[in-house]
């Protein structure tokens, strides 16, 4: 246990009948950090959050909070703040009474409760609707109230299970910013489950990628994005191309005319996959391609500041994304070559 470790999820496994929902997950969560659990549906992220909350019991492994094993502690004894997709606010209560509910259960009364509720109403910028019933609030306002209620008790951990997924795109974007600002203001250790890659990249200090119940990578978002641990992480996060580049020969592989050096643990003769982000591929007009292989643009779409292309080259389709200003004059059917920066290419052994 390092001095900064707040929660150690220690070799946690969970089995439902014959199904392994989690397999030997080991993760250290630093105090005050924002951790996002990311992965496809059924990967085990919500099961892991429910084990942390105490709603599920691990088949094997343990949870160590500040050096104490809490694995057998019931949820109400853990005192964690929680916000789930349903929010579970009390519709018959006012905003202020909803926020103060957890304090009331813990015996905080009178001025102490009122002061804490008023403080949180200011933080979530809703002091003017303290007496309004939550049934009269907008979706974004209800989200803020649910977050304030969870934070009112000053929890050691703040757990969220896709709380923003029901919001429209604009409101969701705004709430992501507000959630991150609130977490930083209170300094509470936070664990969020999401399947939204953009949300995870924006919010997380530590991004935890799960697949089939196993932890595939845990690192800061920029590291996961730019140095994926394996081909699944590369393919799952962002717009990546996975390309069969054949065997390592002379310590390198060839990627459409660009030599990419292979590093250990790969060795001569290994069959390899190259992963390259769509924004790390440049389009070169066929007339200036020289000896490089040439392909054709088979699809394009305008994303506003960027334009995305699909280029068919040597029987493979690759996604390419560039600033829209650089896409002028290009259209479907145009002949182009692809230019790669070898430093931006990740290599993985083909399974």
């Amino acid at each position: 246990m390092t001095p900064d470790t707040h929660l150690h999820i220690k070799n946690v496994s969970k089995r439902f009948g014959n199904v392994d929902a989690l397999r030997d997950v080991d993760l250290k969560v630093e105090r005050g950090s924002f951790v996002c659990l990311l992965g496809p549906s059924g990967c085990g992220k919500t099961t892991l959050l429910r084990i942390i909350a105490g709603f599920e019991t691990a088949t094997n492994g343990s949870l160590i909070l500040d050096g104490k094993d809490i694995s057998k502690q019931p949820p109400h004894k853990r005192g964690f703040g929680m916000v789930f997709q349903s929010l579970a606010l009390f519709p018959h209560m006012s905003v202020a009474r909803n926020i103060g509910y957890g304090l009331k259960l813990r015996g905080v009364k009178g001025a102490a409760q009122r002061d804490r509720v008023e403080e949180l109403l200011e933080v979530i910028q809703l002091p003017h609707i303290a007496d309004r019933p939550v049934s009269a609030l907008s979706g974004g306002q209800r989200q803020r109230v649910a977050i304030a209620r969870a934070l009112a008790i000053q929890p050691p951990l703040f757990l969220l299970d896709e709380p923003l997924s029901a919001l429209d795109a604009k409101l969701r974007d705004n709430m992501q910013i507000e959630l991150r600002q609130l977490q930083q203001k209170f300094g509470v250790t936070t664990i969020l489950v999401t399947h939204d890659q953009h949300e995870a990249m924006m919010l997380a200090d530590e991004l935890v990628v799960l697949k089939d119940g196993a932890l595939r990578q845990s690192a800061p978002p920029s590291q996961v994005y730019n140095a994926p641990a394996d081909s699944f992480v590369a393919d799952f996060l962002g717009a990546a191309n996975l390309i069969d580049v054949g065997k390592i020969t002379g310590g390198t592989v060839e990627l459409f005319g660009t030599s990419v050096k292979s590093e250990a643990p790969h060795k001569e003769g290994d069959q390899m996959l190259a992963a390259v982000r769509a924004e790390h591929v440049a389009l070169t007009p066929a007339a200036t391609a020289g000896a490089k292989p040439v392909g054709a643009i088979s699809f394009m779409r305008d994303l506003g500041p960027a334009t995305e292309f699909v280029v068919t080259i040597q029987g493979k389709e690759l996604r390419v994304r560039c600033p829209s200003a650089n896409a002028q004059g290009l259209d479907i059917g145009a002949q182009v070559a692809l230019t790669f920066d070898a430093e931006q290419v990740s290599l993985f052994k083909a399974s």
Side-chain angles (χ1 to χ4, degrees), residues 104-124:
K104 180 182 176 181
L105 291 180
R106 285 161 176 78
V108 180
K109 301 177 181 177
Q113 183 186 133
R114 186 169 58 252
D115 289 348
R116 179 64 173 164
V117 170
E118 288 177 357
E119 176 194 3
L120 284 158
L121 282 167
E122 289 290 341
V123 168
I124 64 173

Side-chain angles (χ1 to χ4, degrees), residues 34-39 43-50 52 83-84 158-165 172 190-196 199-200 203 210:
F34 198 125
V35 174
C36 284
L37 305 180
L38 179 69
C43 71
K45 53 189 185 292
T46 293
T47 298
L48 181 56
L49 195 77
R50 288 177 61 81
I52 296 168
V83 177
F84 296 97
F158 187 27
L159 309 177
L160 304 106
D161 189 4
E162 303 201 57
L164 310 180
S165 60
R172 181 171 185 160
T190 299
I191 303 175
L192 169 76
V193 162
T194 183
H195 64 271
D196 185 317
E199 183 169 276
L203 291 172
L210 297 166

Side-chain angles (χ1 to χ4, degrees), residues 8 23 87 111 135 210 244 273 309 351:
H8 185 185
R23 295 184 286 130
L87 301 184
S135 57
L210 297 166
D244 184 350
L273 290 174
F309 301 90
S351 57

